[in-house]
Amino acid sequence: MPAPASATYSVAALVAAHTAFRDLIDGGAGAGFIRIRSTADVLLAQIPLSDPCGTVNGATGQLTFSIPGGDTVSTSGSAAYGEFCDSSGAVHLS
């Protein structure tokens, strides 16, 4: 059998990891949010998440975020990356 080219996680590992990540985003006093930034780190948009921010599928481990609608656009530009933040602005994934 050849060596795997990429990691494969069990459903149990995905559920545990995504549940812990979801709980970090929900850990603040309010709803978390997603920031969209340019290559120059300019904030282009801030997208609020629901509180709780999403659900984890127990059969697949997939984390699905819930976005109630609306965003705060700071400026125009090309998106380069996003940041998942808790309500205090702490970045938990970039």
Side-chain angles (χ1 to χ4, degrees):
M1 180 170 121
S6 62
T8 301
Y9 297 95
S10 70
V11 170
L14 291 171
V15 168
H18 289 157
T19 298
F21 181 68
R22 180 202 60 201
D23 292 348
L24 281 171
I25 301 299
D26 288 339
F33 51 89
I34 302 169
R35 291 183 185 136
I36 305 299
R37 294 187 180 273
S38 71
T39 54
D41 293 330
V42 173
L43 180 62
L44 301 176
Q46 184 165 297
I47 303 161
L49 296 170
S50 297
D51 193 6
C53 69
T55 58
V56 177
N57 182 311
T60 65
Q62 180 176 342
L63 171 57
T64 303
F65 287 100
S66 177
I67 299 171
D71 63 358
T72 305
V73 178
S74 298
T75 187
S76 63
S78 296
Y81 68 99
E83 299 172 323
F84 288 79
C85 308
D86 63 23
S87 62
S88 69
V91 178
H92 294 289
L93 175 64
S94 180

